[in-house]
Amino acid sequence: MKDEAIYRRLFRTALLIRLVEERIIDLYPSDKIQSPVHLSIGQEAVAVGVCDGLKPDDLVFATYRSHGFYIAKGGSLDAMFAELYGRKGGVSGGKAGSMHLAAPEVGLMGSSAVVASTIPHAVGAGLSFKRRGASQIAVAVFGDGATEEGVYHESLNFAALMKVPVLFLCEDNGLAVHSHRPARQSYRLTGHAASFGIATRRVEEGWDVLAIRRATLDAAARVRAGEPFVLEIATSRYKEHVGVGEDFHFNYRTSDGVDAWKRRDPLIVDTKLAAALRPEIDREIEAAVAFAEASPAPGRAELLTDVI
Amino acid sequence: MRKLDYAGAIREATAQEMERDPRVFVYGIGVPTWSSIFGTTKGLPEKFGKERCFDTPISEDAMTGFGLGAAIRGLRPIHIHIRVDFMILATNQLINMVSNYTYSTGGKLKVPLVVRAVIGRGWGQGAQHSKSLFSNFTHIPGLKVIAPTTPSDMKGMLTAAIRDDNPVICFEHRWLYWAEEDVPEEPYEIPLGVGRILRPGKDVTIVGLSWMNVEARLAADILAKRGVSVEIVDPRTLAPLDEDLIVESVKRTGRCIIADCDWVDSGFSAELSARINEKCFGRLKAPVKRIGFAHTPAPTVRELENEFYPNARTVVHAVEDMLGLEAANLDGEDFFSHERRFRGPF
Ligand SMILES: Cc1ncc(C[n+]2csc(CCOP(=O)(O)OP(=O)(O)O)c2C)c(N)n1
Ligand SMILES: [Mg+2]
């Protein structure tokens, strides 16, 4: 397929994610979504480029900021909105909500709101592929902040020792809530990973779905051949850490960095393609919202189900 | 006296102790940042500088061990976790190291470390942001565990905790941050290990933990209208426990309901129930009853949260049940909901 056709496909998914999250922003004041949301607006290209560089049966382990990965892996939009609404038609029956999106049926194996806690799961899943001689790979998705937890280092070490097919994917938005990366870290991620003998790559063009896709294809090929890989992608979180607003008035960052990113963001710059794709995407989203609205709420009968 | 809220009481106790004792310092993820742990550390970095109020990497385990190292060398750290769920990452240090450091050094080294853990429900916070886990820590010898309910208790007990030469874990329910009452301005200590009768009564004792004291108080008001007199006992310190206060109360009323904001199974309520049964056996007119979370991870959706969490309604029905009263229609009653922030006084 020509790059142009691929670009169009990836752009569409990225736009879908952005419009879904913008719809969440619209809906939020109505209190229909009664739980915290961590938006990925600004970071969509990472989820889209990476998931397109994977095979459908590769597995992803993610974080609380995973609307993008859920959609990019092919999760049902109806079931996602119903999950955010806390309805029975939700992907986890409405019990998990935005912070714990999981759709194992499409390879999103789980997401956690405890920082870094899914990283070793990908190593375990990778080991299971190796045992079975499968050519699948596992992807651990985490933020830059997550690499400060010991479990990140321990997971890297074990994956390198056991030659596990796992792709460690760091979404580097430079922030952990309101703390900037240089105030938290004395290491460079790639240099650190290299000391375990793990191959690494950092992509600076985190707005560029094609560049991310290519980097993922290359990395995934090496992982499939039987070694871990650390892929770090620079990106930008436009909104506040949690919630639907902006956060420049908190005075811990200015809008300059975000503005510079926006000037390169195809979802903003490529207005022609966005306009062409938008009507169909809007209909898709409205149908999903309608599905959620019509789905019944769980009640006492569901309180104790699926516990064990 | 002026009114102060619970978050303000924490802030004031911390600032006054930092003023009084240059060895005291505060740290943890997000501590000096804009959000300042629900406002409880606001102004501290400006007043005391970055050396005594600082942010950390997302490394709870190491940062707890760091606190221990500083504490045994003469500093007095206060480590803060914005959710107890994240403190779980520090349990090796807390349970294997901090708790038995004094023991394994033959009493030569003390660990004056305060660890503040925010607990409680929010708004769809779900399974990983809403635990309490009292009993995980009261189970461990060598740790003091406090869970103050009122702003004035918080100020006095946090002050005592900071001055204590032993490790103290302080649980703070985040719905309490807005509670307000008269709080003395000058520094004062409320000794750890001393409970408090929040409301005297004669028909039934409710032992309330943290937020559940607010619900118990609402329940007591409703029951009072029907001539039922409820005594509310707040242990305040969970370890060491003021057992005498609780036992005396239950002996007086002959009935006890334990209202916990935690899971019931193997929860702190089980410990309380066991002790009450041991000490009040012949005086009980009914079996001790326990109230707490449903035995499931916390759901995210509101409809299930309403089933999961106990509240004043649960307490009223438990009392009715115990006294053999008919269940009242509570439709007209004013219950707490999180949209209407709770404001004291108690
Ligand atoms: C173990 C743990 N500690 C602290 C937190 C609070 N917390 C939530 S998100 C976050 C920042 C994480 O930053 P990063 O990994 O870069 O991900 P981002 O939010 O930027 O996507 C923190 C500290 C948590 N959820 N879990
Ligand atoms: Mg980050």
Side-chain angles (χ1 to χ4, degrees):
Chain A
M1 213 184 315
K2 287 218 317 286
D3 262 11
E4 185 51 37
I6 299 173
Y7 171 73
R8 205 182 151 89
R9 185 181 75 224
L10 300 190
F11 184 98
R12 189 190 188 283
T13 309
L15 184 63
L16 173 63
I17 297 168
R18 172 131 339 155
L19 294 177
V20 161
E21 291 200 329
E22 286 180 353
R23 192 75 180 97
I24 291 170
I25 296 175
D26 293 342
L27 285 164
Y28 216 59
S30 72
D31 277 358
K32 287 178 173 167
I33 298 170
Q34 293 204 16
S35 67
V37 289
H38 299 75
L39 300 183
S40 60
I41 290 182
Q43 305 191 179
E44 300 91 336
V46 179
V48 173
V50 166
C51 290
D52 205 77
L54 299 175
K55 299 201 166 144
D57 62 351
D58 292 338
L59 303 183
V60 172
F61 295 80
T63 75
Y64 47 87
R65 197 183 302 288
S66 284
H67 298 158
F69 280 92
Y70 176 93
I71 292 171
K73 266 309 259 177
S76 149
L77 210 54
D78 287 1
M80 176 178 160
F81 268 100
E83 188 62 35
L84 298 188
Y85 269 60
R87 304 292 105 173
K88 279 201 214 177
V91 69
S92 299
K95 291 184 179 184
S98 168
M99 293 199 290
H100 308 290
L101 280 181
E105 57 281 4
V106 295
L108 178 64
M109 299 305 286
S111 46
S112 170
V114 179
V115 167
S117 51
T118 62
I119 297 171
H121 304 171
V123 181
L127 199 70
S128 81
F129 301 147
K130 196 172 154 167
R131 283 278 157 80
R132 292 205 313 268
S135 72
Q136 284 161 280
I137 69 169
V139 184
V141 182
F142 48 89
D144 50 299
T147 68
E148 292 149 28
E149 291 286 11
V151 69
Y152 168 70
H153 305 251
E154 295 165 24
S155 299
L156 245 55
N157 180 38
F158 192 65
L161 272 180
M162 306 293 284
K163 298 210 177 314
V164 176
V166 53
L167 175 63
F168 294 99
L169 176 75
C170 178
E171 296 187 275
D172 175 20
N173 59 17
L175 295 171
V177 192
H178 305 132
S179 300
H180 295 271
R181 195 171 183 185
R184 297 178 274 112
Q185 297 179 8
S186 56
Y187 52 90
R188 269 187 324 107
L189 201 71
T190 46
H192 168 266
S195 72
F196 292 94
I198 296 179
T200 67
R201 166 132 180 226
R202 178 173 164 90
V203 176
E204 297 292 347
E205 305 80 23
W207 62 86
D208 182 344
V209 275
L210 290 177
I212 294 168
R213 175 176 179 272
R214 274 192 304 273
T216 306
L217 283 169
D218 291 348
R222 296 184 65 157
V223 174
R224 248 177 262 287
E227 56 169 317
F229 193 100
V230 170
L231 180 60
E232 181 184 29
I233 302 179
T235 185
S236 174
R237 189 191 86 210
Y238 295 175
K239 302 291 177 187
E240 58 189 332
H241 168 70
V242 55
V244 299
E246 303 209 316
D247 63 1
F248 305 114
H249 59 290
F250 298 174
N251 288 327
Y252 75 101
R253 63 169 177 169
T254 66
S255 63
D256 295 353
V258 168
D259 290 340
W261 203 270
K262 283 181 176 172
R263 283 194 290 276
R264 293 176 297 210
D265 179 347
L267 297 178
I268 294 173
V269 178
D270 197 345
T271 50
K272 245 180 77 191
L273 186 53
L277 295 171
R278 184 151 183 166
E280 190 191 73
I281 293 177
D282 281 341
R283 281 195 296 278
E284 216 176 303
I285 293 172
E286 279 330 294
V289 172
F291 175 85
E293 299 261 353
S295 182
R300 187 166 293 187
E302 282 78 31
L303 181 66
L304 299 175
T305 58
D306 292 329
V307 175
I308 203 158
Chain B
M1 243 188 285
R2 54 35 230 259
K3 295 226 180 289
L4 192 62
D5 65 18
Y6 189 84
I10 294 171
R11 200 165 52 234
E12 190 167 276
T14 310
Q16 286 175 345
E17 289 313 291
M18 288 176 83
E19 192 97 61
R20 197 180 76 94
D21 184 346
R23 298 171 302 173
V24 177
F25 69 95
V26 193
Y27 71 109
I29 298 166
V31 164
T33 63
W34 181 84
S35 46
S36 62
I37 317 288
F38 300 98
T40 60
T41 57
K42 210 177 218 79
L44 298 181
E46 292 78 6
K47 193 152 184 218
F48 298 101
K50 279 195 209 142
E51 296 210 331
R52 295 182 65 200
C53 180
F54 55 88
D55 208 345
T56 76
I58 313 174
S59 311
E60 290 84 354
D61 184 11
M63 289 302 116
T64 307
F66 155 84
L68 186 157
I72 58 174
R73 294 297 303 145
L75 297 178
R76 302 183 85 86
I78 305 174
H79 188 195
I80 311 177
H81 300 276
I82 200 162
R83 303 275 187 281
V84 73
D85 311 66
F86 312 152
M87 185 167 84
I88 298 172
L89 277 74
T91 42
N92 173 49
Q93 287 295 333
L94 290 173
I95 294 178
N96 279 325
M97 304 304 299
V98 169
S99 66
N100 47 244
Y101 220 84
T102 297
Y103 187 77
S104 40
T105 55
K108 286 181 214 147
L109 293 176
K110 290 283 193 179
V111 187
L113 168 70
V114 174
V115 183
R116 287 179 41 204
V118 180
I119 61 166
R121 41 195 297 205
W123 184 73
Q125 295 275 324
Q128 294 179 329
H129 281 55
S130 55
K131 296 186 187 70
S132 296
L133 304 179
F134 298 141
S135 56
N136 293 47
F137 298 93
T138 56
H139 186 60
I140 308 299
L143 298 176
K144 294 190 180 183
V145 180
I146 63 175
T149 305
T150 71
S152 56
D153 282 355
M154 179 45 110
K155 180 168 173 188
M157 291 174 71
L158 184 58
T159 302
I162 296 169
R163 295 180 188 177
D164 202 300
D165 283 336
N166 298 288
V168 181
I169 296 180
C170 175
F171 287 105
E172 312 163 10
H173 195 292
R174 65 177 172 276
W175 280 5
L176 291 170
Y177 285 128
W178 311 303
E180 271 181 353
E181 68 178 352
D182 288 338
V183 178
E185 278 174 55
E186 68 282 2
Y188 60 95
E189 278 185 67
I190 293 177
L192 306 188
V194 179
R196 171 181 177 190
I197 294 183
L198 277 182
R199 175 185 181 120
K202 57 182 186 13
D203 296 326
V204 53
T205 298
I206 296 178
V207 182
L209 293 163
S210 187
W211 173 257
M212 283 310 288
N213 283 307
V214 176
E215 302 287 356
R217 195 193 56 143
L218 284 170
D221 286 343
I222 292 168
L223 288 159
K225 289 189 266 183
R226 299 171 66 198
V228 179
S229 163
V230 169
E231 175 147 303
I232 303 177
V233 180
D234 181 359
R236 303 193 290 191
T237 298
L238 312 193
L241 185 66
D242 188 350
E243 193 179 280
D244 291 348
L245 184 78
I246 298 167
V247 166
E248 289 312 313
S249 170
V250 177
K251 281 185 176 165
R252 269 195 314 275
T253 62
R255 298 182 184 88
C256 181
I257 293 170
I258 301 158
D260 197 359
C261 45
D262 204 342
W263 286 297
V264 175
D265 291 29
S266 302
F268 190 65
S269 65
E271 175 66 26
L272 286 170
S273 173
R275 294 208 200 188
I276 293 162
N277 281 316
E278 283 160 12
K279 297 279 164 67
C280 308
F281 186 67
R283 308 284 285 272
L284 287 170
K285 297 174 191 152
V288 174
K289 196 173 174 66
R290 297 186 287 146
I291 292 171
F293 298 166
H295 204 63
T296 163
T300 301
V301 57
R302 183 60 161 266
E303 282 83 351
L304 292 184
E305 281 186 339
N306 292 344
E307 300 288 339
F308 176 82
Y309 291 105
N311 56 24
R313 207 180 281 271
T314 328
V315 176
V316 171
H317 290 320
V319 172
E320 289 169 340
D321 216 33
M322 191 170 270
L323 295 175
L325 302 172
E326 237 169 75
N329 180 353
L330 300 175
D331 287 348
E333 299 294 348
D334 209 13
F335 288 104
F336 176 79
S337 82
H338 152 235
E339 286 73 15
R340 295 177 15 235
R341 291 177 161 202
F342 166 71
R343 296 226 167 253
F346 281 87

